[in-house]
Amino acid sequence: VCRSCSRPLRFLLQIYASRGSQTPGAFHRVLHLFVCTSCQPNRARLFRAQLPWENKFYSGEPPNAQEVAQRLEESGDADEALDAICCRSCGLPAV
């Protein structure tokens, strides 16, 4: 909740911000930014979550983008409009 008005915050964005080998205890680090749209100017709160390289939730190795794309294609998970504008390797818009 907002610390000023106590109303619920709205999720704005999530950033994957790994510290990599520089800080092994924060290899999987995510920042979540929430804003209060009731307060003017808008108030913001940032939350950080992090896990070490070796943990029981996430692999320390990056996923193989081609394997992920193939599994999604085989499962029928497709969006023709997005597929037309996104890179098949990374999923980002190719514009």
Side-chain angles (χ1 to χ4, degrees):
V1 296
C2 177
R3 290 182 175 169
S4 295
C5 69
S6 299
R7 298 204 52 187
L9 297 169
R10 292 180 181 233
F11 174 73
L12 179 64
L13 62 93
Q14 173 180 313
I15 301 170
Y16 183 74
S18 173
R19 296 298 302 254
S21 59
Q22 180 183 9
T23 308
F27 181 79
H28 296 286
R29 186 172 69 163
V30 181
L31 305 173
H32 297 96
L33 182 61
F34 292 83
V35 296
C36 178
T37 56
S38 299
C39 292
Q40 295 301 321
N42 298 126
R43 304 280 183 181
R45 289 188 73 185
L46 182 70
F47 297 90
R48 179 188 70 211
Q50 64 188 42
L51 290 169
W53 182 303
E54 296 292 329
N55 66 81
K56 66 180 185 176
F57 301 104
Y58 298 103
S59 169
E61 301 303 319
N64 181 311
Q66 290 177 333
E67 288 178 11
V68 172
Q70 182 177 355
R71 277 184 276 163
L72 287 172
E73 191 172 302
E74 289 170 356
S75 70
D77 183 7
D79 183 322
E80 292 180 14
L82 285 175
D83 288 346
I85 63 168
C86 292
C87 172
R88 290 187 55 81
S89 295
C90 69
L92 294 174
V95 184

